[in-house]
Amino acid sequence: NIQLVKRFNYMNEKNQRKKIEYNTKYNKENYVNFSLKIKPELNNKIVNYCKSNNISRPEFLERAIEALNHDI
């Protein structure tokens, strides 16, 4: 019984490592890091907007760009 538990734990760890490796590779191929420094007040506005609209910050940025493109 203990051997089964050890084997199960080993397989879970192995699968978890594979999942992490896959996610890391996928993220490198499909995303880029985007970093900037903004004032805390602006950050608070963005965070509050995202929370109240239940969206991520990348989604916020995408919506902002769409809005700007429609205004131009």
Side-chain angles (χ1 to χ4, degrees), residues 19-48:
K19 184 176 179 181
I20 291 170
E21 289 171 8
Y22 172 82
N23 286 343
T24 299
K25 183 179 182 231
Y26 178 86
N27 286 340
K28 282 183 180 180
E29 292 173 353
N30 293 285
Y31 294 96
V32 296
N33 284 326
F34 180 76
S35 177
L36 60 122
K37 292 184 183 218
I38 57 176
K39 293 188 176 195
E41 298 82 20
L42 178 56
N43 183 63
N44 290 339
K45 288 179 184 178
I46 294 170
V47 168
N48 290 336

Side-chain angles (χ1 to χ4, degrees), residues 52-67:
S52 65
N53 290 281
N54 197 28
I55 62 170
S56 64
R57 280 175 261 186
E59 177 68 19
F60 168 82
L61 186 57
E62 193 171 337
R63 288 183 184 190
I65 290 169
E66 276 297 312

